[in-house]
Amino acid sequence: MSGFAKSSIARKVVMALSGLFLVIFLALHVTINFTSVLSPDTFNAWSHFMGYNLLVQYLMQPILVAGVVVHFVMGIALEIQNRQARSIRYARYNGGANAPWVSRNMIITGLVVLAFLGLHMYDFWAHEMVYKYLEANPEDPTRYYGETVEKFHPIWRTGLYVVAFVLLALHLWHGFASSFQTMGINNKYSAAIRSFTRLYAIVVPLLFIIVALYHHFNPITH
Amino acid sequence: MKLLLKIWRQQNASSKGKFVDYPISGIEGDMSFLEMLDVLNQQLIDKGEEPVVFDHDCREGICGTCSLQINGEPHGPDRLITTCQLHMRMFKDGDTIVIEPFRAKAFPVIKDLMVDRSAFDRIQQAGGYISVNTSGNTVDANTIPIEKTKADDAFNAAACIGCGACVAACKNASAMLFTSAKVSQFALLPQGRVEATQRVLSMVRQMDLEGFGNCTNTGACEVECPKGISLENIARMNREYLMASVKG
């Protein structure tokens, strides 16, 4: 197994599996987010559950963080190795003639999503840490909807979220389908898999965008 | 047809190369790209200059010897052909053509446009064969019934001529398409199954040792491959490798 751990295929499999894990997480995330558009009470209930359930906080959250870290660290490491594999670049490289832009620029879309994650963690995760542990505020299952809507009040933040979700869509457009190829799945079902992954790549980021825009244009009036 | 050729000139592997401009005229559309370079080289020889070094052998798309990155694409702008099959009718009068060697750390430049592709040989030597007793008792391969679709897939994989266009086209200089074709052509046939586990482990290990990049499934290799080797082979090699790793 030591040879396997060092192999290029193993590294690709790690990228594929961590990516698929994050894809599943995104589906859960967008489902909960979208309840904020449909029912503030439901959104508050789900958010409170995710924020205080011990299984979520002490098992699922560390696994999620590990999945994110592994995906990004491995992605950056592979990009460095790939660049080293062609130390002298072509003077003319017509990449668009044989491969779509999204597949050739996963590092760009990925780094934008990573930068967005920094903002997202600052906005929500850091806020939760301060609220729960530094200020030691009591549990308030009704606060989440108002706090979320408030976050999307500034146009700059809503704009950054929309741009990040467009880049996430581009990342998923190639990455989701690519993970199946890496896992060795390329058969008569591949066309259906590709259609599903591309539909997912459009629908999930679009729902995130709808949530951000909905709350920006429907602020809570005090 | 009048053209301006921008050709990479490099004395040897350790020297620093540069582009040199060569205006050329009298080129016919029916000439092959290599014939056009032959014309240029004859002109250079007549002037007492050193001709441009480039790889070629069969000049009929079989041997996989010719290479060249032409205007940013391996084997030029046409599809399912090698450079020797590329015709000058693909270009227009007055065009500038940039000609570079295949670029990859694993394909060091020998001189000018000629690169060392022996990394492919070493991958092949690591397991791209079947061990057969040739003492006179060898059973004819055709006596073993093989499902037609599998035979066709194996044949299509075996069509790989090892030219290196897949590596040249890939933004990561990955050799996954070549290696997977060589793994697949045996993995699909009963004779190749006997050593399938060790074959894929050894060939992938050698591929990694040579310093090729990692496949990111852009599909550029499949598009630029002169023999149309499919990405299905990469998926098959990934499956073979994962199964082989589990078996140990």
Side-chain angles (χ1 to χ4, degrees):
Chain A
M1 286 296 279
S2 61
F4 174 76
K6 291 177 189 168
S7 78
S8 57
I9 293 178
R11 289 192 291 264
K12 279 155 48 70
V13 167
V14 168
M15 281 300 286
L17 289 177
S18 58
L20 286 173
F21 169 70
L22 295 176
V23 161
I24 294 167
F25 166 73
L26 278 178
L28 174 69
H29 196 334
V30 81
T31 304
I32 294 174
N33 278 24
F34 204 73
T35 61
S36 68
V37 172
L38 303 174
S39 162
D41 290 340
T42 308
F43 179 72
N44 277 333
W46 271 109
S47 299
H48 186 255
F49 172 79
M50 298 299 277
Y52 285 90
N53 181 273
L54 295 180
L55 201 64
V56 172
Q57 286 295 301
Y58 297 107
L59 182 65
M60 286 176 66
Q61 194 164 272
I63 291 173
L64 173 63
V65 171
V68 171
V69 169
V70 164
H71 195 71
F72 280 107
V73 169
M74 187 63 83
I76 291 167
L78 287 173
E79 178 67 19
I80 292 168
Q81 195 176 32
N82 290 340
R83 284 175 180 270
Q84 287 170 343
R86 179 170 289 132
S87 46
I88 300 174
R89 318 301 290 178
Y90 286 114
R92 184 175 291 186
Y93 181 66
N94 190 8
N98 48 43
W101 186 91
V102 283
S103 70
R104 290 180 285 116
N105 292 284
M106 290 292 279
I107 189 68
I108 293 174
T109 53
L111 286 175
V112 171
V113 172
L114 179 62
F116 163 75
L117 266 182
L119 173 67
H120 189 56
M121 296 292 277
Y122 170 78
D123 280 347
F124 292 94
W125 182 81
H127 170 76
E128 281 299 295
M129 293 301 106
V130 171
Y131 183 92
K132 285 197 291 193
Y133 301 114
L134 284 183
E135 297 175 354
N137 290 309
E139 288 187 33
D140 178 6
T142 64
R143 67 186 166 92
Y144 302 98
Y145 180 77
E147 287 175 359
T148 302
V149 175
E150 196 62 34
K151 287 287 181 200
F152 291 109
H153 179 65
I155 184 70
W156 65 267
R157 183 184 276 115
T158 306
L160 284 178
Y161 270 63
V162 169
V163 169
F165 290 132
V166 170
L167 271 293
L168 174 66
L170 295 175
H171 200 74
L172 288 170
W173 183 268
H174 175 71
F176 194 2
S178 175
S179 58
F180 287 92
Q181 164 80 5
T182 298
M183 296 305 295
I185 300 167
N186 188 332
N187 51 34
K188 61 183 178 181
Y189 303 110
S190 291
I193 290 171
R194 197 173 303 113
S195 299
F196 170 73
T197 58
R198 290 187 171 172
L199 186 68
Y200 185 100
I202 294 170
V203 170
V204 169
L206 187 63
L207 289 175
F208 277 120
I209 289 172
I210 289 171
V211 170
L213 292 177
Y214 179 83
H215 293 312
H216 178 73
F217 291 110
N218 294 279
I220 295 171
T221 50
H222 298 286
Chain B
M1 198 187 296
K2 279 186 180 176
L3 300 163
L4 176 63
L5 306 177
K6 287 182 173 292
I7 300 179
W8 183 260
R9 303 301 306 263
Q10 185 172 336
Q11 196 58 33
N12 53 51
S14 57
S15 66
K16 200 172 180 224
K18 63 174 183 180
F19 280 99
V20 178
D21 289 358
Y22 295 102
I24 190 168
S25 57
I27 301 301
E28 301 291 330
D30 290 339
M31 282 182 178
S32 78
F33 199 84
L34 296 188
E35 285 167 345
M36 182 272 293
L37 288 178
D38 290 340
V39 170
L40 172 70
N41 274 347
Q42 192 56 54
Q43 290 176 2
L44 292 175
I45 291 166
D46 290 346
K47 287 192 285 185
E49 295 180 25
E50 197 173 358
V52 177
V53 173
F54 61 92
D55 262 323
H56 62 100
D57 190 11
C58 76
R59 296 207 176 198
E60 52 188 2
I62 297 170
C63 71
T65 306
C66 59
S67 54
L68 306 186
Q69 186 85 351
I70 302 164
N71 280 349
E73 287 185 77
H75 299 304
D78 213 347
R79 292 285 174 261
L80 296 172
I81 56 149
T82 52
T83 298
C84 61
Q85 297 170 295
L86 176 66
H87 281 86
M88 295 311 295
R89 67 179 78 100
M90 294 296 294
F91 302 92
K92 297 194 299 290
D93 185 41
D95 273 0
T96 296
I97 305 176
V98 179
I99 309 169
E100 296 174 78
F102 283 178
R103 299 257 187 229
K105 194 174 79 177
F107 288 170
V109 171
I110 297 170
K111 188 177 171 69
D112 294 340
L113 302 172
M114 179 187 269
V115 296
D116 178 359
R117 284 169 281 181
S118 58
F120 273 11
D121 296 337
R122 291 187 289 275
I123 293 172
Q124 187 81 342
Q125 286 158 7
Y129 52 81
I130 56 169
S131 303
V132 178
N133 186 338
T134 53
S135 61
N137 299 320
T138 312
V139 178
D140 191 311
N142 290 325
T143 59
I144 303 171
I146 298 169
E147 191 183 321
K148 180 75 168 73
T149 52
K150 285 193 174 180
D152 286 348
D153 287 346
F155 188 87
N156 289 338
C160 169
I161 53 176
C163 65
C166 47
V167 174
C170 177
K171 76 177 188 69
N172 309 321
S174 167
M176 286 285 279
L177 193 68
F178 165 79
T179 310
S180 68
K182 298 304 172 193
V183 165
S184 290
Q185 72 184 54
F186 295 110
L188 287 158
L189 299 177
Q191 295 94 331
R193 290 309 314 169
V194 180
E195 296 162 302
T197 301
Q198 193 51 48
R199 176 181 303 112
V200 70
L201 293 174
S202 299
M203 291 181 78
V204 169
R205 187 187 309 119
Q206 189 62 39
M207 177 185 76
D208 290 343
L209 284 173
E210 297 292 345
F212 292 105
N214 303 283
C215 173
T216 47
N217 303 318
T218 68
C221 52
E222 183 184 55
V223 173
E224 298 292 353
C225 175
K227 297 300 165 187
I229 303 297
S230 167
L231 290 179
E232 287 175 25
N233 292 299
I234 295 181
R236 183 179 297 107
M237 182 168 79
N238 290 346
R239 286 198 301 277
E240 288 277 324
Y241 188 80
L242 292 172
M243 292 301 293
S245 298
V246 171
K247 283 183 195 171

